[in-house]
Every structure is written in structure tokens, then in C-alpha cells.
Amino acid sequence: MIGILVVDDQKHIRDGLQAMLRQFPLPLDGLYGAANGIEALQLLREHSIQLVITDIRMPDMDGLALMERTREERIKVDYLIISGYGDFAYAQRAIALGAKGYLLKPVKREDLQASVEKAAQEIQTRLELSRNMKHVSRRARETDRKELRLFMQGAVNDEAWIRHTEQQLPELWSRYRLCLLREERRINQPGAVGAHSMESIAYQVYGKQGCLCLQRQPYLILAVDASVDTGALPAALQSVQVDAVLAMTGPRKGLRELPGGYAQALELYRHSYLFPDVRCLLPSHLERLEPQWQLPYEELYALFQLIGTDNGSRIAQGLSMLFRKEVLQRYPIRYTLQLSRAAVGMMEEYERVIRPYMGENALDLDCLRSLFDYPGIRAYIQALQQQLLRLNQFYYEYKCSYRHSQDLNEAIRFIHESYHKPLDLAMVSNHVSLNYAYFSNLFKKNVGKGFAEYLRDVRLDKARRLLAETDRKIVEIASMVGYESYKSFTRAFRETMHMQPTEYRERMRQQADSEEEVRDTAL
């Protein structure tokens, strides 16, 4: 696809040439017309045009002046010149300026088509070659950057490669810093710019010779000119409202120091979790950190002594005290990592005890194993607090369940011992020292039936045994199993067994006689 501009001060000639061009089998991207060189120059500045067909003699700015101006402004375009027989000297000058050919007036259709197709073929070949060269150049740059990235990360390379790579950007590698940038992304955050845009901002600050991208994922790493003030890039990012974590190493000299710079950049980045308010973390921020520390095990043990209680607020407060900002910022990031691992380790110990009782409601402790999976220390502490409070709730329910199972066992034992006495829910709940309503709900939830129903079943079970195995009167049996009247006993018996106590006794005796006859026959 090519764009063609026809320039002639005579409108009928201009229109005629355009009409013929539209009839040719050309891959046109655009067809434009201009009455003189001034109009043509403006169109060339505004549009993608690869071929100009222009008359030599025109008012204001002729064809030769147009060719000279486009050369001065470095506008890449090919020319076909239209001239009369008396303009041959002008045509020769146009050829010297780089015109691809000339056409004599009046322009013949076949001459125009042949010249334009030849020029178009040359343009297409040149464009294709340019695209291929750009592709090759881009692939070469990508290969070079990949080798640089691998060398930065510790891969071994020979001296010849190091010298060759340094020669490509000698001024940069003579004194540089490594910058690590990661944009702060939040949920529903508008205007997130990404690594490429931050890279573009960095190139504006340092220039193309003073900035080189070494890595884009998972964070952007740049080698930048160390002579530029360290506050320039943070200020540029802030001016376009880019909220980014930025770590910048000390000055480095030579490519051999690149792996060490990379290690320092990562270390600075990890420490950025301790200093979320610092816009650009430098080695000077780490110099004041205390190299020796002792983990607060006593405070940690005291915190976990609260697990399984209803003191959720004290647990949250205790965790916040362990991870106090002013304490964390006194020591290197390793202190924070060790403290978090100790806390997670104790959570695992507690979880192991109650895991069989948790069912599907497991804790997600794996999400706490890496601080650097979170956007900042605050987000990590919130996740740690959430899992700790869940552990506390599970442990509290476990302890309550264990204690209540003991209370229920005692209540059931008491019922079986005292069923023959006047007995009600209040008496049993008082016996196990539990609130009346709470005990009622607990009993039904764990036993599967209410207290009154359970007591009735216990009494009737004892009554059935007495009816079947003794000759005691039914009124006596009613009293023996705790019923105050014969009438209430028979009513409860009939509702449960669907027969009278006398009928039940008779049926049990008949069954016993039948079983005895069977035994006698067998003997």
C-alpha cells in the first residue's frame, strides 16, 4: 500500500492524472492533490505519502524547490517529474536530486502507468527490506537483552562478550545504577500504567544513551546513568501520578558488577516492605539498621496462650504489638521474615491438634508463607491476623465441644441414676452448673432429642423391663420409674408403644412361652 501525491498548478491536468491513477491496478493507501509546492509540502508533513508526481514549473514553489525542502526536512519520498521539451535542463537537475524518472507533457497513459508501477515496486521492495531489517534489529536487541538478563542473574559469560557488550553503551556501563520498579496496583485502581509506561518515563529522564531495560517481569529493572540525581526518576513518576515501589542501588562501574547490583536491587526491594512511605529506597536507608536481634518469643508464647478464648480483640492487639512498625524498621527484613515464620509455625502446631475436628473448615496457612506475595507489609499482617482469629474461633469451639461433652456425659449419668425421682431440666442443668436455656439447646443439639423426651424414653425403657421380667403391679412400676400417677404413666406408655402396659406384658409372656416350647422341642 502506497500513498501518491499529484502536484500541478493546472487543475485539469491534476484531475486527469488522478483519474488515470485510480484506474491502474495499484495498492493505493491514499491519493492526494496539490496546486503548488507549498500545499504539497504541508500534505507531506501530515500524511503517509511515498510517491510524488510533480510538475517542475509552478508558481510560489516549483517542483525542484519542493524536492530540496523535503530533503532538508528528511521527509522520505520518491519523485516522478513532469516536464515539457523545453524543461530538459530542469529535468536533469531533478534526476540529480534523486527523482526516479520524468514524464513529458502531455503525459501518456501507458508511460504514466509504467513509471508509477516501477516506482511503486521499488518502494514496496524498500519498505519490505526496512521491515525485515527492523525485525532483525529487534530480534538482535532482544537476544542481547536476554543474555544481559541471564548474566545479571548469575549466568557465566566470557570476557570477549563482556567487552563487546560494554562497547555498545560505553558511557552507561562506565558508571550506572540499577533501578527496580514495581507499580502499586490496587483493586479498582484507575490509571494503572504498567512496566512499559514506567520504562518510557525513565527514558525521558535519562535519555536513550543513559537508560537500558534489562527486565520487565515480574518487575521492571533498568540500568541508568549514575550521574543523574537519584530524585529525578521518583519526581517524574510522581508528576504523572504513578504510584510505584522504587529501589535504586549505589553506583556501579563496569559490566562485571552487574550481578552484584542485581542482588543489591532485590535486597533493597525486599526492604521496601518495611518502608512503604519512602518513594525511592537507597542503600543509605539500610545502613542504620541494627544487624543483631532477638525474636520476642515470650510475647509470641503469651499471644498464643490466648488461643481458644473469647478474647479476639486482645489477640488482634497482641499481634499488632508483635509487628509494630517502629520495631520492624529497626532491623533488616530478615527479622520480619523470621518473626512471621515463627508465628505461622505456632499456628501449624495448634491447627495440628484440632485438625480432625475441623472437617472442611481448614485454615489457609499456605497463603502466609511468603511475605512478598503481598503488596505490602500491612496487607500481610492483615492476612496473618485473619487466619489467627479463625484459628482462635476453631480452637474455642473445640475446647467448648470437649468441655460440653464431659458436661453432657455427667448429665446423662445423673439422669440414669435419678430417673425414678422427681426430675426436671432445671435440676439437671444445676447439677452440671450450666445455664438452663443453654443446657437445653446443648442437650438437644448433641443428643438428638429434647430433655423431656429423653427422660421419658429412659423411664419407659426401665418400665418395659419390669413389665416383662417381674409380676409387680403396674401402679407400682409407674412409681418405680418416676411417674407420680398411674394415669400419666399409662398415657405416656400408650403414646410411645401404641398399646396398654397390660397388653405389652401379656405379649412379652406369650413370646417367652413360645421361645421355651421351641427350646424343649429342640432338646
Side-chain angles (χ1 to χ4, degrees), residues 456-519:
R456 182 203 66 187
D457 291 346
V458 170
R459 286 172 167 173
L460 293 181
D461 182 63
K462 303 294 184 182
R464 286 196 298 271
R465 291 178 61 184
L466 291 171
L467 287 169
E469 298 174 2
T470 72
D471 292 326
R472 290 181 180 275
K473 295 180 180 180
I474 293 177
V475 66
E476 291 182 273
I477 293 175
S479 178
M480 291 173 66
V481 297
Y483 281 91
E484 296 180 356
S485 69
Y486 171 81
K487 182 181 292 186
S488 58
F489 168 70
T490 55
R491 182 173 62 249
F493 195 96
R494 184 175 61 251
E495 289 175 354
T496 304
M497 301 302 298
H498 307 292
M499 64 180 70
Q500 293 290 347
T502 53
E503 184 181 355
Y504 176 82
R505 170 174 275 176
E506 183 63 29
R507 183 173 296 183
M508 291 299 101
R509 288 180 176 178
Q510 290 176 1
Q511 182 176 337
D513 291 343
S514 297
E515 291 174 355
E516 186 175 353
E517 289 178 6
V518 170
R519 284 196 300 270

Side-chain angles (χ1 to χ4, degrees), residues 63-290:
L64 295 178
L66 174 62
M67 293 181 70
E68 290 174 347
R69 286 295 300 274
T70 54
R71 174 182 286 188
E72 291 172 3
E73 296 187 19
R74 297 185 178 181
I75 298 174
K76 294 182 179 180
V77 63
D78 288 348
Y79 283 89
L80 288 176
I81 301 301
I82 302 174
S83 65
Y85 283 106
D87 297 328
F88 186 69
Y90 288 99
Q92 286 182 312
R93 188 179 170 193
I95 296 296
L97 287 171
K100 297 299 181 181
Y102 65 92
L103 299 165
L104 291 175
K105 292 182 178 180
V107 178
K108 296 181 179 178
R109 176 189 177 89
E110 56 271 18
D111 292 340
L112 177 64
Q113 182 172 355
S115 298
V116 170
E117 287 181 349
K118 181 181 178 182
Q121 183 62 46
E122 289 183 10
I123 291 169
Q124 291 286 9
T125 301
R126 189 167 63 248
L127 289 174
E128 186 65 29
L129 180 61
S130 176
R131 282 194 292 268
N132 290 339
M133 290 301 293
K134 286 180 180 178
H135 179 69
V136 170
S137 177
R138 185 172 63 252
R139 291 291 297 273
R141 287 196 302 270
E142 289 174 355
T143 301
D144 290 344
R145 184 159 56 202
K146 182 178 180 180
E147 289 186 354
L148 262 174
R149 183 168 63 251
L150 292 173
F151 178 72
M152 175 181 70
Q153 295 171 354
V156 178
N157 222 316
D158 55 37
E159 289 295 320
W161 177 86
I162 292 175
R163 288 194 301 271
H164 172 72
T165 305
E166 285 181 337
Q167 290 170 1
Q168 292 180 342
L169 286 171
E171 293 184 3
L172 175 63
W173 295 122
S174 65
R175 194 167 185 270
Y176 64 95
R177 300 175 187 268
L178 286 189
C179 287
L180 186 152
L181 299 97
R182 192 198 71 185
E183 186 185 7
E184 292 280 25
R185 292 179 180 270
R186 298 181 176 86
I187 297 174
N188 298 326
Q189 177 190 6
V193 298
H196 284 81
S197 295
M198 290 192 295
E199 179 183 344
S200 176
I201 294 168
Y203 276 106
Q204 293 173 19
V205 173
Y206 297 99
K208 289 187 177 180
Q209 298 301 311
C211 182
L212 179 65
C213 177
L214 301 174
Q215 176 179 302
R216 291 195 176 97
Q217 294 295 333
Y219 22 68
L220 181 66
I221 297 181
L222 307 170
V224 300
D225 185 356
S227 65
V228 177
D229 184 84
T230 55
L233 182 56
L237 293 169
Q238 187 176 14
S239 68
V240 292
Q241 299 181 337
V242 175
D243 188 11
V245 173
L246 172 58
M248 190 176 295
T249 71
R252 299 272 159 174
K253 184 177 181 180
L255 203 58
R256 291 174 184 82
E257 295 191 10
L258 182 61
Y262 177 66
Q264 186 181 48
L266 291 179
E267 184 71 2
L268 287 167
Y269 169 70
R270 286 191 284 265
H271 280 82
S272 68
Y273 281 77
L274 301 181
F275 304 96
D277 300 326
V278 176
R279 299 199 65 83
C280 179
L281 200 67
L282 301 169
S284 58
H285 290 99
L286 275 57
E287 292 173 358
R288 61 176 180 267
L289 299 179
E290 299 178 20

Side-chain angles (χ1 to χ4, degrees), residues 230-466:
T230 55
L233 182 56
L237 293 169
Q238 187 176 14
S239 68
V240 292
Q241 299 181 337
V242 175
D243 188 11
V245 173
L246 172 58
M248 190 176 295
T249 71
R252 299 272 159 174
K253 184 177 181 180
L255 203 58
R256 291 174 184 82
E257 295 191 10
L258 182 61
Y262 177 66
Q264 186 181 48
L266 291 179
E267 184 71 2
L268 287 167
Y269 169 70
R270 286 191 284 265
H271 280 82
S272 68
Y273 281 77
L274 301 181
F275 304 96
D277 300 326
V278 176
R279 299 199 65 83
C280 179
L281 200 67
L282 301 169
S284 58
H285 290 99
L286 275 57
E287 292 173 358
R288 61 176 180 267
L289 299 179
E290 299 178 20
Q292 302 294 329
W293 64 83
Q294 181 66 43
L295 288 181
Y297 286 111
E298 290 186 7
E299 295 178 34
L300 193 62
Y301 293 147
L303 172 64
F304 276 84
Q305 288 299 312
L306 298 172
I307 295 297
T309 68
D310 57 354
N311 292 318
S313 60
R314 286 184 60 191
I315 292 173
Q317 184 180 7
L319 186 68
S320 297
M321 291 298 293
L322 279 172
F323 286 86
R324 294 192 302 277
K325 178 181 177 181
E326 59 272 17
V327 174
L328 299 184
Q329 291 182 347
R330 285 171 54 189
Y331 307 111
I333 189 66
R334 291 185 296 281
Y335 171 84
T336 303
L337 295 175
Q338 288 181 10
L339 181 60
S340 63
R341 281 197 291 268
V344 173
M346 293 194 71
M347 291 174 67
E348 287 177 330
E349 292 296 326
Y350 274 72
E351 184 202 33
R352 193 173 294 115
V353 173
I354 62 171
R355 190 174 296 161
Y357 304 92
M358 294 174 65
E360 298 180 356
N361 298 317
L363 296 178
D364 185 12
L365 297 184
D366 287 339
C367 74
L368 302 175
R369 303 201 184 281
S370 177
L371 163 64
F372 305 115
D373 289 340
Y374 292 81
I377 185 69
R378 191 174 294 116
Y380 178 80
I381 294 173
Q382 288 176 349
L384 185 63
Q385 183 183 92
Q386 182 184 25
Q387 294 302 319
L388 187 61
L389 291 176
R390 288 189 68 207
L391 173 65
N392 177 63
Q393 183 62 32
F394 287 138
Y395 215 84
Y396 178 74
E397 292 175 357
Y398 161 73
K399 288 172 66 176
C400 289
S401 174
Y402 180 76
R403 185 176 66 248
H404 293 158
S405 66
Q406 291 181 317
D407 293 336
L408 281 173
N409 288 338
E410 175 58 25
I412 290 172
R413 186 196 65 78
F414 182 70
I415 292 170
H416 281 266
E417 283 187 355
S418 309
Y419 69 91
H420 56 286
K421 302 176 183 178
L423 196 63
D424 58 23
L425 181 63
M427 295 171 64
V428 179
S429 62
N430 287 335
H431 179 76
V432 294
S433 302
L434 289 176
N435 174 269
Y436 178 93
Y438 178 77
F439 175 73
S440 176
N441 291 329
L442 179 69
F443 191 96
K444 187 170 185 178
K445 178 181 178 182
N446 289 273
V447 177
K449 58 182 70 174
F451 168 79
E453 184 181 358
Y454 184 80
L455 177 60
R456 182 203 66 187
D457 291 346
V458 170
R459 286 172 167 173
L460 293 181
D461 182 63
K462 303 294 184 182
R464 286 196 298 271
R465 291 178 61 184
L466 291 171

